Amino acid sequence: MKKVIILGSTGSIGTQTLEVIEKLEEKYQVIGLSCGNNIELLKTQIEKFNPNVVSIQNKNDALKIKETFKNIKVLYGEEGLIELASNSEVDIIVIAVSGKIGLKPTIQAIKNGINIALANKETLVEAGDIVMDLVKEHKIELLPIDSEHSAILQCLQGNSDSFINKLHITASGGPFLFKTIDDMKKASISQVLAHPKWNMGKKITVDSATLMNKGLEVIEAHHLFNIDYDNINVVVHPQSVIHSAVEYKDGSIIAQMGFPSMHIPIQYALTYPERVNGIKTNSFDFVKCKNLTFFEPDYEKFPLLKLAYQAGKEGGTMPLCLNAANEEANSAFLKGQINFFDINYIVFKIVENYINIKKPTIEEIFIEDNIIRKKTIDLIFKNFC
Ligand code: NDP
Ligand code: MG
C-alpha cells in the first residue's frame, strides 16, 4: 500500500487525484490533505479518506476543522504545508497547489527524500535549476502531472535521452485562438475563463488564454527533460488530442494521445512506471476523429509565449521575474483591477526593467520573488487603479 499526501486537495487537480485514488482501490492510502479556503470540501474529503493530518491556509479555519475532527493533526499556513511535506511516512506527495506557494513544500519534500508528483508548474519556472539539482542529489523521482510533460515522459520510455532531437509541445490555443486582438482587449472575466477544452482552476485558465501557460510549460520542459530552448517547439492543436510528442534523431516522432483528461497523467504519475486499470476515460475512435489540425502560435496575439522563451534562455532569476509578474497581473485581472490585455503590458514592463541574477541561491529566489511582486503591484496601482 502506497501512502499519499495531496497539497491542494480541494482544487481541480487535487479533486481529480482523489477520484483516481478511489479507482486504484486498496493500493493507495491518503494520509494527508490540504486546502486553501474551501473547508467544506475538505471536511467531506476527511470523512471519505480518513487522513492522519491536514493543513489549511488560515488559522481560524484550522481551529474549526480541529473542533470537528479531534483525532487528526491539523496544521495551517505555509508552515503547515512545509510540515506536511516533511512527513517521513509518505511514499509520494502530490503538489497540486496553484502558484508560488508550491515552491517551499516541494523543496522540503525533496530534501526529505520523498517522491513527488508535480502539477505546480510555477515551482520549476521559479527555481528549476535548484530544484532539479536537489532531485539529483537526493535521488528522488519527480514525476510531472502537467499533461504535456506526462506525454513527453511517456514518449521517452525505452529510449535514451541522447536520441532526442526535439520536443513538440501542443497547445489548445485557449478561448481566443480564432478571435482578434480587439476581441481580446474587450474580453470579460467570464469569456477568459471559458476554456474550450479543459476545466481547470482560475489562475491556469487565465494563463491558458494569454498562452503564458504554454510559456511556463516550455520552461518546465527545459528543466524536466534537460533540453535546450531551441529544441522545444510549441504547436497549436485545438482538438487537444495529441498531448505532446518527442522527435528522435532518426526522424521518428512518438506522440502520446487520447481525449483531453487529467485523470490519465495524474494516474501515470502515481503508478509510474506501471500502467494500471484504473479510472475509465472515453475510448478514442480514430475513425470518428476526422480533423486533427495544427498551427504556428500567433506571437502578436500571444506575446507572452515569446517572452517566456526569452526569459528561459536568459536563465537565472529572469523566469522567476516572468512568473511572479504574471501571477500578480493574473490575480489583478481576476479581481477586476485590469483588463485582460493589460496582463501582457504589465509582465513585459516588469521583465524589461529587471536586472537578472545569473546564479541565484534559494534565499535570493525568495527575496527577489517578493521584490518583483511588490513592483508589479505598485505598477498596477499607479497605472490602473
Ligand atoms: P485550483 O485553483 O483549482 O486549486 C488550487 C489548490 O490550491 C486548491 O486546493 C486551493 O485551495 C489550494 N490553495 C491555493 N492557495 C493556497 C494557499 N495559499 N495555501 C494553501 N492552499 C492553497 O488549481 P488547479 O488544480 O487548476 O492547479 C493547481 C496547479 O496545477 C497549478 O500550478 C496549475 O498550473 C497546475 N496544473 C493544473 C492543471 C489543471 O488541469 N487544472 C493542468 C496542469 C497543471 P482552496 O480551493 O481550498 O482555496
Ligand atoms: Mg498543460
Side-chain angles (χ1 to χ4, degrees), residues 80-121:
L81 292 178
I82 294 170
E83 194 174 329
L84 266 188
S86 316
N87 192 314
S88 55
E89 278 177 60
V90 70
D91 294 294
I92 188 157
I93 182 161
V94 180
I95 312 281
V97 286
S98 174
K100 73 151 188 173
I101 193 80
L103 179 55
K104 284 187 185 170
T106 304
I107 288 178
Q108 189 65 38
I110 301 172
K111 286 184 174 167
N112 282 292
I114 301 170
N115 290 332
I116 293 174
L118 185 70
N120 179 277
K121 60 191 75 186

Short mmCIF file of all heavy atoms in Angstrom, two decimals, residues 80-121:
data_model
loop_
_atom_site.label_atom_id
_atom_site.label_comp_id
_atom_site.label_asym_id
_atom_site.label_seq_id
_atom_site.Cartn_x
_atom_site.Cartn_y
_atom_site.Cartn_z
N GLY A 80 2.46 24.92 7.67
CA GLY A 80 1.69 23.66 7.68
C GLY A 80 1.98 22.84 6.43
O GLY A 80 2.18 21.62 6.51
N LEU A 81 2.03 23.52 5.27
CA LEU A 81 2.33 22.80 4.02
C LEU A 81 3.74 22.21 4.08
O LEU A 81 3.97 21.08 3.65
CB LEU A 81 2.22 23.75 2.82
CG LEU A 81 0.82 24.28 2.46
CD1 LEU A 81 0.90 25.23 1.27
CD2 LEU A 81 -0.13 23.14 2.14
N ILE A 82 4.67 23.00 4.64
CA ILE A 82 6.06 22.54 4.72
C ILE A 82 6.16 21.33 5.67
O ILE A 82 6.85 20.34 5.38
CB ILE A 82 7.00 23.69 5.15
CG1 ILE A 82 7.02 24.75 4.03
CG2 ILE A 82 8.41 23.21 5.46
CD1 ILE A 82 7.71 26.05 4.38
N GLU A 83 5.40 21.39 6.77
CA GLU A 83 5.42 20.24 7.70
C GLU A 83 4.82 18.99 7.04
O GLU A 83 5.33 17.88 7.20
CB GLU A 83 4.67 20.59 8.99
CG GLU A 83 4.95 19.56 10.07
CD GLU A 83 4.36 19.91 11.43
OE1 GLU A 83 4.24 21.10 11.76
OE2 GLU A 83 4.02 18.95 12.16
N LEU A 84 3.74 19.20 6.27
CA LEU A 84 3.16 18.05 5.55
C LEU A 84 4.20 17.44 4.61
O LEU A 84 4.27 16.21 4.47
CB LEU A 84 1.98 18.51 4.69
CG LEU A 84 0.56 18.43 5.24
CD1 LEU A 84 -0.43 18.74 4.13
CD2 LEU A 84 0.26 17.05 5.81
N ALA A 85 4.98 18.30 4.00
CA ALA A 85 5.98 17.84 3.04
C ALA A 85 7.21 17.23 3.72
O ALA A 85 8.15 16.81 3.05
CB ALA A 85 6.40 19.00 2.14
N SER A 86 7.20 17.21 5.05
CA SER A 86 8.34 16.61 5.78
C SER A 86 7.96 15.25 6.35
O SER A 86 8.74 14.64 7.06
CB SER A 86 8.74 17.49 6.97
OG SER A 86 8.78 18.83 6.61
N ASN A 87 6.75 14.80 6.06
CA ASN A 87 6.23 13.56 6.66
C ASN A 87 7.00 12.33 6.14
O ASN A 87 6.92 12.00 4.96
CB ASN A 87 4.74 13.46 6.28
CG ASN A 87 4.02 12.40 7.06
OD1 ASN A 87 4.52 11.29 7.19
ND2 ASN A 87 2.86 12.73 7.56
N SER A 88 7.72 11.70 7.05
CA SER A 88 8.61 10.61 6.60
C SER A 88 7.85 9.33 6.25
O SER A 88 8.40 8.42 5.65
CB SER A 88 9.65 10.33 7.67
OG SER A 88 8.98 10.06 8.87
N GLU A 89 6.55 9.26 6.63
CA GLU A 89 5.78 8.03 6.33
C GLU A 89 5.33 7.94 4.88
O GLU A 89 4.93 6.89 4.41
CB GLU A 89 4.48 8.06 7.14
CG GLU A 89 4.55 7.61 8.55
CD GLU A 89 3.17 7.78 9.18
OE1 GLU A 89 2.22 7.16 8.70
OE2 GLU A 89 3.08 8.57 10.13
N VAL A 90 5.35 9.09 4.17
CA VAL A 90 4.68 9.15 2.88
C VAL A 90 5.54 8.58 1.75
O VAL A 90 6.76 8.69 1.77
CB VAL A 90 4.26 10.62 2.59
CG1 VAL A 90 5.46 11.48 2.31
CG2 VAL A 90 3.25 10.72 1.47
N ASP A 91 4.90 7.95 0.76
CA ASP A 91 5.63 7.42 -0.41
C ASP A 91 5.66 8.43 -1.54
O ASP A 91 6.62 8.51 -2.29
CB ASP A 91 4.96 6.13 -0.91
CG ASP A 91 5.07 5.04 0.10
OD1 ASP A 91 6.21 4.60 0.33
OD2 ASP A 91 4.05 4.64 0.69
N ILE A 92 4.56 9.18 -1.71
CA ILE A 92 4.53 10.16 -2.79
C ILE A 92 3.67 11.35 -2.37
O ILE A 92 2.62 11.17 -1.74
CB ILE A 92 4.05 9.53 -4.12
CG1 ILE A 92 4.21 10.51 -5.28
CG2 ILE A 92 2.62 9.02 -4.06
CD1 ILE A 92 4.29 9.86 -6.65
N ILE A 93 4.15 12.54 -2.69
CA ILE A 93 3.38 13.74 -2.36
C ILE A 93 2.96 14.41 -3.67
O ILE A 93 3.77 14.57 -4.58
CB ILE A 93 4.18 14.68 -1.43
CG1 ILE A 93 3.37 15.91 -1.05
CG2 ILE A 93 5.51 15.11 -2.01
CD1 ILE A 93 3.89 16.64 0.18
N VAL A 94 1.68 14.74 -3.76
CA VAL A 94 1.16 15.40 -4.96
C VAL A 94 1.12 16.90 -4.69
O VAL A 94 0.45 17.34 -3.75
CB VAL A 94 -0.26 14.88 -5.29
CG1 VAL A 94 -0.80 15.56 -6.55
CG2 VAL A 94 -0.26 13.36 -5.45
N ILE A 95 1.86 17.66 -5.50
CA ILE A 95 1.90 19.11 -5.29
C ILE A 95 0.90 19.74 -6.26
O ILE A 95 1.19 19.96 -7.44
CB ILE A 95 3.31 19.70 -5.51
CG1 ILE A 95 4.38 18.89 -4.76
CG2 ILE A 95 3.34 21.19 -5.15
CD1 ILE A 95 4.53 19.15 -3.29
N ALA A 96 -0.30 20.00 -5.75
CA ALA A 96 -1.40 20.48 -6.61
C ALA A 96 -1.92 21.84 -6.15
O ALA A 96 -3.05 22.20 -6.46
CB ALA A 96 -2.52 19.45 -6.65
N VAL A 97 -1.08 22.57 -5.39
CA VAL A 97 -1.47 23.96 -5.09
C VAL A 97 -1.12 24.79 -6.32
O VAL A 97 -0.30 24.40 -7.15
CB VAL A 97 -0.75 24.52 -3.84
CG1 VAL A 97 -1.33 23.95 -2.57
CG2 VAL A 97 0.75 24.30 -3.91
N SER A 98 -1.75 25.95 -6.39
CA SER A 98 -1.52 26.81 -7.55
C SER A 98 -0.59 27.96 -7.17
O SER A 98 -0.71 28.52 -6.08
CB SER A 98 -2.89 27.34 -7.99
OG SER A 98 -2.74 28.26 -9.01
N GLY A 99 0.37 28.28 -8.04
CA GLY A 99 1.21 29.46 -7.83
C GLY A 99 2.42 29.20 -6.94
O GLY A 99 2.78 28.06 -6.65
N LYS A 100 3.03 30.32 -6.49
CA LYS A 100 4.34 30.23 -5.82
C LYS A 100 4.31 29.48 -4.49
O LYS A 100 5.34 29.06 -3.99
CB LYS A 100 4.90 31.63 -5.61
CG LYS A 100 4.21 32.40 -4.52
CD LYS A 100 5.18 33.38 -3.88
CE LYS A 100 4.54 34.02 -2.67
NZ LYS A 100 5.41 34.85 -1.89
N ILE A 101 3.12 29.29 -3.91
CA ILE A 101 3.01 28.61 -2.62
C ILE A 101 3.53 27.16 -2.71
O ILE A 101 3.85 26.54 -1.69
CB ILE A 101 1.54 28.66 -2.11
CG1 ILE A 101 1.40 28.25 -0.65
CG2 ILE A 101 0.60 27.84 -2.96
CD1 ILE A 101 1.77 29.33 0.30
N GLY A 102 3.69 26.65 -3.94
CA GLY A 102 4.17 25.26 -4.11
C GLY A 102 5.67 25.10 -3.89
O GLY A 102 6.15 23.98 -3.62
N LEU A 103 6.43 26.17 -4.03
CA LEU A 103 7.89 26.02 -4.09
C LEU A 103 8.53 25.47 -2.80
O LEU A 103 9.27 24.49 -2.82
CB LEU A 103 8.53 27.36 -4.50
CG LEU A 103 10.05 27.40 -4.59
CD1 LEU A 103 10.59 26.34 -5.53
CD2 LEU A 103 10.53 28.79 -5.04
N LYS A 104 8.24 26.13 -1.66
CA LYS A 104 8.92 25.71 -0.41
C LYS A 104 8.57 24.26 -0.02
O LYS A 104 9.47 23.49 0.31
CB LYS A 104 8.59 26.68 0.72
CG LYS A 104 9.36 28.00 0.60
CD LYS A 104 9.17 28.88 1.81
CE LYS A 104 9.85 30.22 1.60
NZ LYS A 104 9.51 31.20 2.62
N PRO A 105 7.27 23.87 -0.05
CA PRO A 105 6.99 22.47 0.29
C PRO A 105 7.65 21.48 -0.67
O PRO A 105 8.09 20.41 -0.24
CB PRO A 105 5.46 22.36 0.18
CG PRO A 105 4.95 23.75 0.19
CD PRO A 105 6.05 24.66 -0.26
N THR A 106 7.77 21.85 -1.94
CA THR A 106 8.41 20.92 -2.91
C THR A 106 9.89 20.72 -2.53
O THR A 106 10.38 19.59 -2.48
CB THR A 106 8.30 21.47 -4.35
OG1 THR A 106 6.93 21.69 -4.63
CG2 THR A 106 8.87 20.50 -5.37
N ILE A 107 10.55 21.82 -2.22
CA ILE A 107 11.97 21.73 -1.84
C ILE A 107 12.11 20.89 -0.56
O ILE A 107 12.98 20.03 -0.45
CB ILE A 107 12.56 23.15 -1.68
CG1 ILE A 107 12.71 23.77 -3.07
CG2 ILE A 107 13.89 23.13 -0.93
CD1 ILE A 107 13.23 25.17 -3.10
N GLN A 108 11.21 21.13 0.38
CA GLN A 108 11.23 20.37 1.63
C GLN A 108 11.07 18.87 1.38
O GLN A 108 11.80 18.05 1.94
CB GLN A 108 10.10 20.88 2.55
CG GLN A 108 10.14 20.34 3.94
CD GLN A 108 11.39 20.79 4.70
OE1 GLN A 108 11.82 21.93 4.54
NE2 GLN A 108 11.97 19.90 5.47
N ALA A 109 10.10 18.54 0.54
CA ALA A 109 9.83 17.12 0.26
C ALA A 109 11.06 16.47 -0.39
O ALA A 109 11.45 15.36 -0.02
CB ALA A 109 8.61 16.98 -0.65
N ILE A 110 11.69 17.17 -1.32
CA ILE A 110 12.88 16.60 -1.99
C ILE A 110 13.97 16.36 -0.95
O ILE A 110 14.59 15.29 -0.91
CB ILE A 110 13.41 17.54 -3.10
CG1 ILE A 110 12.33 17.78 -4.17
CG2 ILE A 110 14.66 16.94 -3.74
CD1 ILE A 110 12.70 18.84 -5.20
N LYS A 111 14.19 17.36 -0.09
CA LYS A 111 15.26 17.22 0.91
C LYS A 111 14.96 16.06 1.87
O LYS A 111 15.88 15.50 2.46
CB LYS A 111 15.41 18.52 1.70
CG LYS A 111 16.10 19.60 0.87
CD LYS A 111 16.33 20.84 1.70
CE LYS A 111 17.15 21.87 0.93
NZ LYS A 111 17.13 23.18 1.59
N ASN A 112 13.67 15.73 2.03
CA ASN A 112 13.32 14.60 2.88
C ASN A 112 13.27 13.27 2.12
O ASN A 112 12.82 12.27 2.66
CB ASN A 112 11.97 14.86 3.55
CG ASN A 112 12.12 15.82 4.70
OD1 ASN A 112 12.73 15.50 5.72
ND2 ASN A 112 11.64 17.02 4.53
N GLY A 113 13.67 13.31 0.87
CA GLY A 113 13.75 12.07 0.09
C GLY A 113 12.39 11.53 -0.35
O GLY A 113 12.25 10.34 -0.61
N ILE A 114 11.39 12.40 -0.45
CA ILE A 114 10.03 11.95 -0.81
C ILE A 114 9.82 12.12 -2.31
O ILE A 114 10.14 13.18 -2.88
CB ILE A 114 8.96 12.79 -0.04
CG1 ILE A 114 9.17 12.65 1.47
CG2 ILE A 114 7.55 12.36 -0.45
CD1 ILE A 114 8.33 13.63 2.30
N ASN A 115 9.27 11.09 -2.96
CA ASN A 115 8.96 11.19 -4.39
C ASN A 115 7.80 12.16 -4.59
O ASN A 115 6.88 12.24 -3.76
CB ASN A 115 8.59 9.83 -4.95
CG ASN A 115 9.81 8.93 -5.02
OD1 ASN A 115 10.94 9.41 -5.16
ND2 ASN A 115 9.59 7.64 -4.89
N ILE A 116 7.85 12.86 -5.73
CA ILE A 116 6.88 13.93 -5.96
C ILE A 116 6.13 13.73 -7.27
O ILE A 116 6.74 13.41 -8.30
CB ILE A 116 7.64 15.29 -6.02
CG1 ILE A 116 8.20 15.61 -4.63
CG2 ILE A 116 6.73 16.43 -6.50
CD1 ILE A 116 9.07 16.82 -4.58
N ALA A 117 4.81 13.95 -7.21
CA ALA A 117 4.01 14.08 -8.44
C ALA A 117 3.69 15.57 -8.52
O ALA A 117 2.96 16.11 -7.70
CB ALA A 117 2.74 13.25 -8.33
N LEU A 118 4.28 16.23 -9.52
CA LEU A 118 4.24 17.69 -9.55
C LEU A 118 3.25 18.23 -10.59
O LEU A 118 3.44 18.05 -11.79
CB LEU A 118 5.64 18.24 -9.87
CG LEU A 118 5.79 19.75 -9.82
CD1 LEU A 118 5.70 20.28 -8.40
CD2 LEU A 118 7.12 20.19 -10.44
N ALA A 119 2.20 18.89 -10.08
CA ALA A 119 1.30 19.61 -11.01
C ALA A 119 1.74 21.07 -11.07
O ALA A 119 1.68 21.70 -12.12
CB ALA A 119 -0.14 19.52 -10.52
N ASN A 120 2.18 21.59 -9.93
CA ASN A 120 2.50 23.01 -9.79
C ASN A 120 3.70 23.42 -10.66
O ASN A 120 4.85 23.20 -10.31
CB ASN A 120 2.79 23.28 -8.31
CG ASN A 120 3.16 24.71 -8.05
OD1 ASN A 120 4.31 25.09 -8.22
ND2 ASN A 120 2.20 25.51 -7.65
N LYS A 121 3.39 24.00 -11.83
CA LYS A 121 4.47 24.32 -12.79
C LYS A 121 5.29 25.52 -12.35
O LYS A 121 6.45 25.67 -12.74
CB LYS A 121 3.88 24.52 -14.18
CG LYS A 121 2.89 25.63 -14.30
CD LYS A 121 2.16 25.59 -15.64
CE LYS A 121 1.14 24.50 -15.68
NZ LYS A 121 0.50 24.30 -16.94
#
